[in-house]
Structures are given as C-alpha cells and as structure tokens.
Amino acid sequence: MSSRKGSSSGQDSVLASNVRAEADAVELTELGPLLEVKRAAANSSIADGQTCSAPQEEEEEEEEVRVLTLPLQAHHAMEKMEEFVYKMWEGRWRVIPYDVLPDWLKDNDYLLHGHRPPMPSFRACFRSIFRIHTETGNIWTHLLGFVLFLFLGVLTLLRPNMYFMAPLQEKVVFGMFFLGAVLCLSFSWLFHTVYCHSEKVSRTFSKLDYSGIALLIMGSFVPWLYYSFYCSPQPRLIYLSIVCVLGITAIVVSQWDRFSTPKHRPTRAGVFLGLGLSGIVPTMHFTIAEGFVKATTVGQMGWFFLMGSMYITGAGLYAARIPERFFPGKFDIWFQSHQIFHVLVVAAAFVHFYGVSNLQEFRYGLEGGCTDDTLL
C-alpha cells in the first residue's frame, strides 16, 4: 500500500510541474507581441539617437552632468562639514598657521604657527587645554594663578578673628582683593580657552576678561588704602570713591566691541595702565604725610613700587608685542608677550598681597593705635 501511495504522489508532482511549464509557455506567447513592440521601440530610439547631431548630444550630456554634479557637490560639502564638526567635537584637530585663520581669530600677526582652528564645541575647546598651541601658556599661567589665589583667599578669610583688630572689616577688605584676583584670573583662562569657539563667544568672553582686569586693580586698591590711611578716614573714602569710578568707567569702555580688536591693543593697555597709575596720587599723599622713611619701611612702599613696575612692564610688553615682534615665528608657543604679561600679573598680585599682609601685621601690632615712633 505504501509503495502505491508513493508512486501516485510522484506522478502528481510530475503532472503539476508539467502544468506550470505549459502555463509559463502560454504567458510567454501572450506577451510575445508586447515584447516585440518594446524591442522595436528601443531599437527605434537607438536609431533616432544615432541620427541626432553631435553638438546636441554634447549639450544634453553637459546639462545632465551639471544637474548631477551640483547636488553631489553640495552633498560632499555637507559630509565634509559634518566630518569637520565631528573631529572638533572629539578633539582630533591640528594646529594651523596664522594666514588661514578667520579674521575674528587673528590677534597677533607675529605668531605665525601653532594656532587652534575654529572649534564650534565647548567640549573640544576645554580639551584643548591639554594640547600644545599658541594659547597653552596663556591658559595655564592664569589657571594656576586662579588656584593659587583661591587657596590663599580661603586661608586668609578662615584665619581666627584674634589676629585682626576689626575682624569683619578687615576680612571684607581682604575679601575684595581676593574676589578681584579670582575673577580676573578665572575670566582670563576661560577666555583663552573658549575664544576659538565662535566670534560671538570670543567677543563675550573678551569683555569678561577686560572687566576682570579692572576688578583686580580696584580690589588691589581696597586693602592698601584701608591700611595706609588707617587713621585718615576722609582721604581714604575719597580715594576709594575715585578708584571705583575709574574702575567702573574702564569696565564700561571695555564693553565696546571695537575695544577687543587688534587695532586697539595700545588703547586697552593705556586704559588699564591709567587705572593703575591713578594710585600715584594717594602714594604721594601718604609719603608726604608720613615721611619717606616711614613710607618705605612701615608703609611697605618698596613692595608696592615693585608691584607697579611689574604691571607696567607687563602692559608695555603686551602693547608692543615684545619679543615676538623682533623674532616672528620664534615665540609662537612659549615666551610670547601675552604669556610674560600673564606671569607678571600673577607675580605682581602676589607681591601686593605680601605687602598688604605686612601692613595688616603692623596695624595689629599697634593694637589699633595710629602712631608708634619706636618702629621708625
């Protein structure tokens, strides 16, 4: 029985395959005229194409190539832009020469190589801190200075009140100095880190950077005037008011967009140099009132003159772009004028803190008194 069933199923499959073959043959015979028409149309189109003139064929080909190449070029441009942004995002970039920088990134034309390209990613900008380029020294000099003064400020303000004659007033006075120093140094290293992000970001952080310089100068005057005119409250108030007005004026001027352009580099140096030199008037007042000997010993004028010399030297080198002016391309990465200026700013602020600390100790030794001839 099983063998009969197997033979019958095999015959059924053979019959089914024969039926399918016959159906396919019928379909081909039915479609035959249509296929012939399509073949004839194709042959006729080829024949017509061959009879066309050569110039017409060339024009059609040029139009087709033009139509095809424009979208392809746009597509490739988008792909390249995406690849560029991705590389910037991942921090995979190479330094470029000054000549290929966009105009808003061109600041010092004596630094010829080693510049960062525009990087539209804050992540890439902050990762560039650990790469070598023209801004590496500018970032780290004030980043380390920021950490130093933040540490000194915390130590000073957390000192026990027993070391101050007027703890609240004196800590506020020192706090103004440290606030100015911390803001100046933090704005500075942040600006040098992210100014390659975009023109808008560069302009915004440059204004913060210049405002920070004015805040540092204003904050530096506060403890010095407080202790130097400890027993002369009226002149102290007048000088503090003048310094605040000049400092706020410098901040307002620094918000002008053209203030940050390379053309106004001497103007920038002049504004902050003038703000710092305004301290000559109270210095002369103190020296005449107390005498030269007391001013240079108890008044710590030697340290303040050193501080002023550092600020003036740094601002002068920055404005004149020395030493790279005389050796273009030799100070692209290290020892350029801006880095020297940064180092002198940090050193001058530390010298100022040391001098003010000595003044505070002197006033503490007098137990609030205003004269002590034995110290002269």
Side-chain angles (χ1 to χ4, degrees):
M1 293 291 292
S2 60
S3 61
R4 290 179 182 176
K5 289 181 181 179
S7 61
S8 62
S9 61
Q11 292 176 357
D12 294 337
S13 61
V14 171
L15 290 174
S17 61
N18 292 333
V19 170
R20 283 197 297 269
E22 291 177 356
D24 293 338
V26 171
E27 290 179 358
L28 287 173
T29 54
E30 291 176 353
L31 291 175
L34 295 177
L35 293 176
E36 291 297 332
V37 171
K38 290 182 179 180
R39 288 173 185 170
N43 292 331
S44 62
S45 63
I46 292 173
D48 293 339
Q50 290 176 350
T51 58
C52 292
S53 61
Q56 186 176 359
E57 290 181 353
E58 292 179 357
E59 291 179 359
E60 292 178 354
E61 289 179 357
E62 289 178 358
E63 290 179 0
E64 291 178 358
V65 169
R66 191 180 300 110
V67 171
L68 291 175
T69 53
L70 288 176
L72 286 175
Q73 289 176 354
H75 179 69
H76 290 318
M78 290 299 297
E79 285 184 344
K80 290 181 179 179
M81 180 60 69
E82 291 177 358
E83 183 180 359
F84 173 76
V85 173
Y86 178 77
K87 287 182 178 180
M88 295 303 101
W89 180 264
E90 294 297 324
R92 296 181 299 184
W93 48 270
R94 294 182 180 179
V95 294
I96 58 177
Y98 178 85
D99 296 336
V100 300
L101 287 173
D103 291 337
W104 58 273
L105 273 180
K106 291 182 176 179
D107 179 63
N108 191 340
D109 53 356
Y110 297 109
L111 305 179
L112 305 182
H113 305 284
H115 296 272
R116 289 178 300 177
M119 295 188 293
S121 165
F122 284 108
R123 178 181 176 182
C125 291
F126 280 97
R127 290 182 67 176
S128 71
I129 295 175
F130 305 100
R131 295 279 299 272
I132 302 298
H133 47 81
T134 55
E135 296 297 331
T136 302
N138 294 329
I139 294 171
W140 281 100
T141 48
H142 275 184
L143 177 57
L144 295 176
F146 161 75
V147 175
L148 170 65
F149 278 94
L150 185 62
F151 178 73
L152 287 176
V154 172
L155 287 182
T156 302
L157 298 180
L158 292 181
R159 288 178 63 189
N161 292 340
M162 59 182 294
Y163 294 106
F164 300 94
M165 292 305 302
L168 180 59
Q169 291 183 7
E170 295 183 64
K171 287 187 176 182
V172 170
V173 164
F174 272 101
M176 295 296 290
F177 165 70
F178 284 112
L179 179 62
V182 168
L183 288 178
C184 174
L185 297 174
S186 60
F187 289 159
S188 178
W189 79 263
L190 284 173
F191 163 69
H192 287 284
T193 299
V194 304
Y195 91 98
C196 64
H197 180 278
S198 62
E199 187 174 4
K200 182 179 179 180
V201 171
S202 175
R203 190 183 302 116
T204 301
F205 277 85
S206 67
K207 294 176 182 179
L208 290 176
D209 185 24
Y210 301 136
S211 301
I213 297 174
L215 291 173
L216 173 60
I217 297 174
M218 293 167 61
S220 298
F221 271 108
V222 173
W224 177 71
L225 291 174
Y226 177 82
Y227 287 113
S228 296
F229 294 90
Y230 192 81
C231 299
S232 303
Q234 186 175 0
R236 179 179 62 194
L237 180 61
I238 292 174
Y239 289 134
L240 282 174
S241 301
I242 293 174
V243 168
C244 289
V245 171
L246 293 176
I248 293 173
T249 303
I251 293 175
V252 172
V253 171
S254 65
Q255 305 309 304
W256 184 36
D257 288 338
R258 294 185 180 180
F259 189 76
S260 61
T261 59
K263 179 181 178 181
H264 291 84
R265 178 189 296 266
T267 306
R268 295 196 296 269
V271 167
F272 298 119
L273 188 61
L275 178 59
L277 291 176
S278 64
I280 292 178
V281 176
T283 300
M284 293 178 63
H285 182 170
F286 181 81
T287 303
I288 294 172
E290 302 294 337
F292 181 77
V293 176
K294 187 175 181 180
T296 55
T297 55
V298 177
Q300 303 293 314
M301 282 298 170
W303 292 111
F304 297 128
F305 279 125
L306 177 60
M307 174 204 67
S309 300
M310 289 180 173
Y311 279 134
I312 293 172
T313 303
L317 293 175
Y318 167 76
R321 293 181 286 185
I322 297 173
E324 63 268 17
R325 172 184 292 273
F326 302 108
F327 306 96
K330 302 298 183 182
F331 298 94
D332 294 341
I333 305 301
W334 307 114
F335 305 109
Q336 55 186 258
S337 59
H338 209 126
Q339 292 175 10
I340 297 173
F341 176 49
H342 276 202
V343 173
L344 289 176
V345 166
V346 175
F350 185 79
V351 168
H352 183 77
F353 169 68
Y354 182 78
V356 170
S357 298
N358 289 339
L359 275 176
Q360 188 270 333
E361 291 180 3
F362 169 72
R363 293 301 176 187
Y364 177 78
L366 294 180
E367 296 181 355
C370 293
T371 58
D372 190 1
D373 294 336
T374 61
L375 294 176
L376 299 179

